[in-house]
Every structure is written in structure tokens, then in C-alpha cells.
Amino acid sequence: MSKYVAKPQLRFMEAVKLACGRLCDFSGRSRRSEFWWFALAFVVVNWVLELIFSLALPLLWAEICSEVVSLLMLAVMVRRLQDTGRSKWWAISAWVLSVAGGIYTATRPAMEELQSVNSNPDAVMAMFQDPIMIILLGLSAVVGIVVFVFTLLDGKPETNQYGESPKYVAVDE
């Protein structure tokens, strides 16, 4: 009978280097510490890039560039879900819904109105009464919450269909 012992938690730089080294690798598993430290670094960098994009590009192109950058987080999220035994399709669904919602929102005439100095509140409120917008926001919220909860869960200590545990080591008693 094997007993599982946890390896020490990754520190910030270790986790970010590990995740950055596997940005295009959708196979295997990632620990919570790798995922969450990389997510923190990603959010900060993405926020700065979105600010630059929004100042330098038209709204639709800024949104497209932002969604392309968000692809960098997808592989780490897929590996994190696989660590908990979940399918990569949860992460891909969340990303697709985010992209669809972002591009749909950026193409709405009310977004131009929202960015003006004297925006018309009725035009902005009409955007949030759009059935497609409501469906995209609702689906995105539900799938996003499910994926968020899955990323909080501890990985399976035993080997699963996605590979060996990056956190636990089997020790014979």
C-alpha cells in the first residue's frame, strides 16, 4: 500500500517560470500553486496590456488583442483542471464564451456611446437588454464560476488519465 506525501508548495518565481515554460502545453497536470501564482502575474501583465491596447487601438482591435493574450492562460488552466480529473473542455468553453462576449460587446454601438464624454444612459441600458448579451453574460458567468471552483480543488494524489501528480509522491510504507 502506498502513502502519498506532498512536495513543498511552489514559490512565486518557480511557479511563473514553470508555467511560462509550458504556455503551449495542454497535456499533463499543474498544481494549484503553479496556477494561482501564474494567474496573479498574468492578471497584472494583462491589465497593463489592456490599458495600452485601449489607448492605442480602436475598441474592436483592442478586444481582439486582449483575447489573444488571454490564450496564454488557457494552457495553464487546462492543466489545472486535468490535475483535478476534469476535462479541458471546461476551460475551453469558458475561454470561448469570454471571447464571444467580449467581441460581441465591443461591436455594439452602445460601447462607442459608453466611451463618449456625454454618454446617453438609455443607449447603454439598451445594450444590457439585448437577449444575446444576456445569454452570453449568463453562460459565461455560470461556466466561469464552475471553472473557478474546479481550480480551487486539490489535485488527485494518484496518477490519473492526464499523468502523474505534480504535487504528491507515492511512498511505500
Side-chain angles (χ1 to χ4, degrees):
M1 178 101 188
S2 294
K3 177 182 172 185
Y4 293 99
V5 178
K7 295 178 188 175
Q9 184 175 340
L10 296 174
R11 285 178 269 159
F12 178 76
M13 287 307 293
E14 293 172 313
V16 171
K17 284 180 186 176
L18 181 61
C20 286
R22 299 176 63 195
L23 282 178
C24 296
D25 181 8
F26 288 82
S27 63
R29 299 164 63 170
S30 288
R31 297 177 64 169
R32 278 185 294 191
S33 55
E34 176 186 348
F35 175 78
W36 286 109
W37 281 126
F38 180 75
L40 175 65
F42 176 81
V43 165
V44 171
V45 169
N46 193 40
W47 183 78
V48 170
L49 288 175
E50 282 187 12
L51 182 64
I52 293 168
F53 293 153
S54 67
L55 294 174
L57 298 170
L59 184 62
L60 179 59
W61 287 105
E63 181 62 32
I64 290 170
C65 290
S66 177
E67 297 302 342
V68 168
V69 170
S70 74
L71 245 173
L72 298 174
M73 187 68 186
L74 189 60
V76 181
M77 187 180 301
V78 164
R79 290 194 313 270
R80 177 71 209 120
L81 292 175
Q82 290 175 167
D83 187 41
T84 65
R86 303 316 191 284
S87 170
K88 65 182 159 214
W89 291 108
W90 283 105
I92 293 170
S93 299
W95 183 79
V96 167
L97 286 167
S98 171
V99 169
I103 291 176
Y104 185 78
T105 303
T107 59
R108 306 309 313 147
M111 284 306 292
E112 296 294 330
E113 179 71 29
L114 186 61
Q115 291 185 325
S116 70
V117 176
N118 297 319
S119 61
N120 179 0
D122 294 332
V124 175
M125 288 307 295
M127 183 174 76
F128 292 105
Q129 294 172 352
D130 180 0
I132 295 173
M133 176 72 87
I134 293 169
I135 290 169
L136 282 172
L137 286 174
L139 284 173
S140 186
V142 169
V143 172
I145 290 169
V146 169
V147 169
F148 174 73
V149 169
F150 286 164
T151 61
L152 293 174
L153 301 175
D154 194 14
K156 306 290 182 197
E158 61 276 348
T159 300
N160 67 17
Q161 65 193 35
Y162 305 108
E164 293 182 10
S165 173
K167 178 179 179 180
Y168 295 102
V169 177
V171 179
D172 293 325
E173 290 183 359

